[in-house]
Amino acid sequence: MFTEERHQTILDYLAETGRVTVLELAQRLQVSDDTVRRDLRALDELGFLQKTHGGAVSLEVPRMARAQRAQVLPQVKQQLAQAVIEQIEPGQTLMLDAGQSVLAVAQALPDVPLTVITHALDIANALSQRPQIRLILAGGLWDARQRLFTGTQTVAQIQSLRADWAIMGACAVHEKLGLTASDAADAEVKRAMLAASAQAMLVADHSKTGRSEPFFVCPVPHFTHWFTDRTPGWANAPAGLRVIGAGHVSTNTEKTA
């Protein structure tokens, strides 16, 4: 296994378990303890995890820079994106939130007549060469770390527009506390996108579930669809929950789009 493959395996395993030991990684990867320690040291220096005595713990994904988030569960994000675009019809207008899961949706969109509104530069770049997609970039105050625009200008522009779908990512999703964000400005943009859209989809893998952040966005039932890769195990599963796994889709609702 190449170094990059080992690193991806470690990150995916950390996303599932939250912590790992050198011994279990050495057994899982079939490499020496010294190799695992070098891998963990390299990933720690890059900001992907926190190395501990005898292993490592995951960093909180919402507080990672977007370039780092891209390395967490990439195949899951691609599967979720494919499920999302099945709901979209030519001619519709989409609000695309920032985040790696929503970026995967943008990358998977076919080049058909659509209008896409976003405040995320990476999503705008991904769609900039699609001649049939009309792109609206909601500008404002540039956040270099998260690679998006935010602030009053961004919110005002979004509020002046309307969309068929808001396709949203999440910092955290909690059964009682709903969708929350780690940053007040991010929460404000998300609320504006939801208010300006007829329907909303949530794209959030299992690493976001069962957690909460300080800034409220909306209750989970606000979404007609929630695409994720594991059943959250809540007492009352949301009506729009769609669990996307390898080779199967589990759903609590029929298509509405």
Side-chain angles (χ1 to χ4, degrees):
M1 185 181 290
F2 293 112
T3 301
E4 292 79 7
E5 294 175 304
R6 290 199 312 274
H7 287 183
Q8 188 60 64
T9 300
I10 292 169
L11 290 174
D12 289 349
Y13 189 48
L14 260 180
E16 294 180 5
T17 63
R19 61 177 59 245
V20 294
T21 66
V22 170
L23 178 60
E24 64 185 325
L25 283 177
Q27 293 173 343
R28 190 180 186 91
L29 299 170
Q30 297 186 329
V31 295
S32 69
D33 290 1
D34 286 342
T35 297
V36 171
R37 290 191 182 93
R38 285 195 297 271
D39 288 340
L40 294 180
R41 189 179 306 113
L43 290 169
D44 182 291
E45 291 171 355
L46 290 169
F48 290 112
L49 52 79
Q50 181 177 336
K51 192 174 180 299
T52 63
H53 179 70
V57 295
S58 63
L59 298 176
E60 292 190 24
V61 174
R63 289 171 176 77
M64 288 183 180
R66 296 211 179 268
Q68 296 167 335
R69 292 190 208 180
Q71 303 302 314
V72 179
L73 302 174
Q75 294 180 335
V76 168
K77 292 179 173 67
Q78 292 168 11
Q79 289 179 325
L80 299 180
Q82 289 299 320
V84 168
I85 65 173
E86 291 177 3
Q87 306 297 319
I88 296 168
E89 298 177 357
Q92 290 186 324
T93 297
L94 315 176
M95 291 270 188
L96 294 190
D97 187 22
Q100 295 302 316
S101 294
V102 184
L103 174 59
V105 173
Q107 293 167 336
L109 284 174
D111 186 18
V112 299
L114 292 168
T115 298
V116 173
I117 303 159
T118 187
H119 64 306
L121 186 60
D122 290 340
I123 288 176
N125 284 337
L127 299 175
S128 62
Q129 301 300 316
R130 312 278 180 89
Q132 295 194 74
I133 294 180
R134 180 170 59 174
L135 179 63
I136 300 173
L137 180 60
L141 180 64
W142 172 242
D143 183 332
R145 184 173 183 273
Q146 300 300 340
R147 298 186 54 77
L148 51 79
F149 294 97
T150 189
T152 55
Q153 288 179 301
T154 305
V155 171
Q157 187 171 357
I158 290 169
Q159 289 174 335
S160 71
L161 301 167
R162 293 296 181 266
D164 298 289
W165 286 107
I167 301 177
M168 310 299 294
C171 296
V173 191
H174 191 278
E175 182 177 13
K176 293 182 179 179
L177 302 179
L179 184 74
T180 52
S182 55
D183 181 81
D186 181 37
E188 187 177 16
V189 171
K190 290 180 188 294
R191 289 194 297 267
M193 286 185 161
L194 290 167
S197 303
Q199 297 185 86
M201 302 185 215
L202 175 60
V203 192
D205 63 60
H206 70 270
S207 69
K208 311 298 179 62
T209 305
R211 302 176 57 257
S212 66
E213 294 291 340
F215 302 100
F216 178 71
V217 177
C218 70
V220 174
H222 187 93
F223 296 97
T224 56
H225 300 72
W226 171 14
F227 296 94
T228 188
D229 58 321
R230 289 187 188 175
T231 303
W234 296 349
N236 298 299
L241 181 68
R242 291 169 176 248
V243 180
I244 312 301
H248 75 278
V249 176
S250 172
T251 176
N252 286 350
T253 187
E254 297 299 322
K255 274 190 181 182
T256 59

